[in-house]
Amino acid sequence: MTLDSYATAVADLDPAPGEVETAELVVTDDVLVKAFVLGPDAAVDPHEHADATNVFHVVEGEPTVIRDGDEEPVAAPAVVENERGAVHGARNDTTDRAVFTATLAPLN
């Protein structure tokens, strides 16, 4: 048995260029942790969560994080807080995959 839910969940994720694959790592009544694997030139479109904070944990690669109109490449390992109501997303401008988890809390 392993306590780690990350390695197994993303081991087989291998998105093609322009595609995003995801895996749910933790789902409870008040928290969602999801892994996002971005192929080259793939993006998670900017969006917002009015009632929750969304924290990105960059674990592989260097995605460009978008928040409230600003953009910044963020190399692993890194943590990016997206406060409630912030319009946020990510894009992979590299030729390698980029992986981050997103923690959404609280779930309403």
Side-chain angles (χ1 to χ4, degrees):
M1 178 182 108
T2 180
L3 296 176
D4 178 20
S5 60
Y6 172 78
T8 303
V10 300
D12 294 329
L13 300 183
D14 187 24
E19 295 193 2
V20 177
E21 293 185 8
T22 65
E24 291 182 343
L25 306 176
V26 176
V27 180
T28 70
D29 289 341
D30 58 350
V31 175
L32 170 66
V33 181
K34 194 170 181 178
F36 290 83
V37 182
L38 284 64
D41 298 318
V44 175
D45 292 332
H47 59 283
E48 68 178 296
H49 305 281
D51 297 325
T53 298
N54 192 323
V55 180
F56 292 168
H57 296 84
V58 180
V59 295
E60 185 180 328
E62 188 175 339
T64 297
V65 175
I66 304 152
R67 185 176 58 217
D68 290 333
D70 294 326
E71 299 183 2
E72 181 180 336
V74 179
V79 174
V80 178
E81 177 185 5
N82 299 297
E83 295 178 356
R84 294 174 188 207
V87 176
H88 59 280
R91 173 179 79 238
N92 184 5
D93 297 326
T94 74
T95 57
D96 298 315
R97 77 180 197 166
V99 183
F100 64 92
T101 64
T103 301
L104 188 64
L107 287 179
N108 295 321

